[in-house]
Amino acid sequence: MAAAAYLLVFLHVGSAFPVIKRSHHQLKQKNTALSTSPLFSSVSAQDLLYQDQQDAMLRRALREQELLSRNNEMKELLAPKLKAKPPQSGTGFGNVASNKAYDPAVQLAKEQAKVVRKEGVIRIDNVISDETADNLRCHILEQQQIAAIETDRDVSSSRIYYGVENRRKSRCDLQLSLLRGGFSAYLGNETAFELSYKKPHTVADALQEMLGEDGSLRHLYENLVTPNGELYELAAVITDPGSNRQMVHPDLPYNSKAPLYVIFLALQDVTENMGPTSFLLRTHTTKANVVFNSGDADEKEQQLLKSDCRLSTLKKGDAVLFDARLLHCGNANNEATRVLFNFSFRNPEVKGSLGYKGSIRPGYEGAMSLGDMTNALNAYVGGDENPFVDYIA
């Protein structure tokens, strides 16, 4: 997921320069060229400042990890056992079987929404099938390779491909395309585009399972943001071994109303050593925010010591949905590449700037609502091979 707005001041310097692996010979050539450039000293200064900021953030993150684990046994975030409540007698739903107004999926979503509003986060298992998760993971890693090639060719294109987490070590937010063929649709390479167009539309397939007519998350999101909720983020959070632990943060400045609800969907099993996200339950409240932003170091450390922290180790196809005000952090990845599908919808009751720009491709901002997404997915099921093209630039 995108890093907290509070971290942007640390991340913006040099953030247009993605990390690209090069051979020793390539690096030597590039360093020789840079050393003769008048920009060399300023680039070096930016790199040094950036590294100092990263080191300071890591020290703080490790201190927070110590505090969170000192008085708390690390507990796994589990999916709550919920059931759709039957209609009450005398409300016109006496004969459930014959009354179409009663939908168990809608009723279950109401119970899930109660958990989100109370705890700030909910785990939902089996959101998409294993096959869809595998296909989407492969697609995302292919897109990551294209983004690396394109930004190596033209560093200014970095903003097109990468979101808030652009340059942190072994971590990126890859802004995904909704067009069939993915990034190839924008590159003018007809051969590559034609080949990719013959592949399944894996992003649409995944969204269909979640937000389509019978999607696993559709009714929950409709409950939280209504069909008018704006698609605010669409990305993949990718971490590789060596990715450091994040500092505890919310994703945006505090608002009395929940501005944004975010999905992290696991595209492979996420073990404890792969950097699962830690969530501090019930810290999306005004009271918790006042303490977190008080500037009182002792008070803040007491908050972490007393918090109810849960670790979101997930199985492939499982997801967490959380209120973006909730305190959370990604842990260090010491095992294998972790890919999370990440999207969010904005609460239409919250007007104006959220103080946080989500990870979403240029031209996608404000382009689609949840209702638009459902309509596009219905068209996709009906045979439209490129159902989002009318919504996005």
Side-chain angles (χ1 to χ4, degrees):
M1 165 68 182
Y6 300 99
L7 305 187
L8 291 180
V9 67
F10 297 106
L11 295 176
H12 81 279
V13 177
S15 62
F17 299 88
V19 175
I20 306 294
K21 293 181 179 179
R22 298 183 175 89
S23 68
H24 174 74
H25 178 66
Q26 288 174 313
L27 286 172
K28 185 175 180 181
Q29 284 184 319
K30 191 168 187 69
N31 287 339
T32 301
L34 277 174
S35 65
T36 63
S37 167
L39 295 177
F40 178 67
S41 59
S42 62
V43 171
S44 298
Q46 287 181 347
D47 287 344
L48 289 171
L49 177 59
Y50 174 81
Q51 190 55 54
D52 286 346
Q53 292 164 348
Q54 293 296 302
D55 292 344
M57 290 165 62
L58 179 58
R59 287 194 297 272
R60 177 59 191 170
L62 294 176
R63 171 61 177 166
E64 291 171 346
Q65 182 179 28
E66 177 191 349
L67 292 167
L68 289 171
S69 60
R70 183 180 295 177
N71 294 331
N72 298 295
E73 179 185 351
M74 190 60 68
K75 298 178 181 178
E76 183 181 9
L77 180 67
L78 299 175
K81 296 179 180 179
L82 301 174
K83 292 183 179 180
K85 288 187 176 180
Q88 298 178 358
S89 60
T91 60
F93 294 105
N95 187 347
V96 177
S98 62
N99 197 319
K100 294 182 179 179
Y102 177 78
D103 185 339
V106 173
Q107 299 306 313
L108 177 60
K110 289 181 179 179
E111 299 306 309
Q112 292 172 325
K114 289 178 183 178
V115 174
V116 175
R117 293 187 175 106
K118 178 183 177 182
E119 305 291 342
V121 62
I122 188 171
R123 173 176 174 163
I124 306 170
D125 293 341
N126 303 311
V127 167
I128 62 173
S129 68
D130 284 357
E131 180 181 3
T132 300
D134 289 339
N135 291 340
L136 183 56
R137 189 177 192 275
C138 288
H139 171 75
I140 287 170
L141 293 177
E142 288 175 357
Q143 298 296 287
Q144 185 185 28
Q145 291 179 349
I146 294 173
I149 292 169
E150 293 303 312
T151 53
D152 198 23
R153 180 180 296 132
D154 177 7
V155 74
S156 67
S157 68
S158 175
R159 296 294 187 185
I160 298 173
Y161 295 103
Y162 298 107
V164 177
E165 293 284 15
N166 185 350
R167 199 189 178 208
R168 278 186 73 226
K169 182 181 178 183
S170 304
R171 180 185 178 96
C172 75
D173 289 348
L174 186 69
Q175 297 173 162
L176 298 176
S177 169
L178 281 171
L179 294 184
R180 195 180 195 107
F183 297 154
S184 298
Y186 299 90
L187 299 179
N189 184 333
E190 293 185 10
T191 301
F193 177 66
E194 288 175 0
L195 288 174
S196 62
Y197 204 87
K198 294 178 181 179
K199 297 180 180 179
H201 195 334
T202 52
V203 174
D205 289 339
L207 290 171
Q208 168 61 25
E209 290 189 25
M210 290 183 280
L211 301 173
E213 195 68 32
D214 299 314
S216 54
L217 300 176
R218 176 192 161 201
H219 296 301
L220 175 54
Y221 259 120
E222 286 183 347
N223 188 291
L224 294 170
V225 303
T226 79
N228 295 322
E230 174 193 332
L231 178 66
Y232 200 76
E233 295 173 291
L234 183 72
V237 180
I238 305 171
T239 65
D240 294 315
S243 174
N244 292 327
R245 179 185 173 89
Q246 290 181 311
M247 296 193 304
V248 172
H249 62 276
D251 277 338
L252 34 68
Y254 188 76
N255 192 300
S256 58
K257 291 184 179 179
L260 198 67
Y261 291 99
V262 184
I263 281 288
F264 284 169
L265 170 66
L267 300 184
Q268 69 290 296
D269 291 354
V270 178
T271 68
E272 189 170 342
N273 291 324
M274 288 174 67
T277 306
S278 292
F279 293 98
L280 281 60
L281 302 189
R282 299 175 294 282
T283 56
H284 57 310
T285 63
T286 301
K287 181 179 179 181
N289 173 71
V290 168
V291 174
F292 188 75
N293 290 304
S294 66
D296 186 322
D298 290 338
E299 191 175 24
K300 185 174 178 179
E301 292 204 345
Q302 284 300 311
Q303 180 184 41
L304 296 177
L305 280 169
K306 297 175 181 178
S307 66
D308 186 356
C309 184
R310 303 298 174 94
L311 195 64
S312 60
T313 46
L314 301 169
K315 294 294 184 182
K316 179 171 37 179
D318 296 346
V320 289
L321 185 152
F322 65 97
D323 182 328
R325 299 173 298 175
L326 190 73
L327 297 179
H328 63 282
C329 64
N331 288 279
N333 186 342
N334 300 311
E335 186 173 302
T337 297
R338 185 204 69 177
V339 183
L340 302 177
F341 187 38
N342 164 224
F343 61 86
S344 65
F345 283 92
R346 175 176 175 159
N347 183 353
E349 293 183 6
V350 179
K351 308 298 183 182
S353 172
L354 298 186
Y356 162 73
K357 186 183 183 302
S359 293
I360 193 166
R361 283 181 67 85
Y364 285 27
E365 301 98 329
M368 293 188 74
S369 67
L370 178 60
D372 293 332
M373 177 69 71
T374 301
N375 291 336
L377 292 171
N378 286 340
Y380 179 61
V381 172
D384 188 340
E385 293 185 331
N386 224 355
F388 303 108
V389 71
D390 291 334
Y391 296 94
I392 54 179

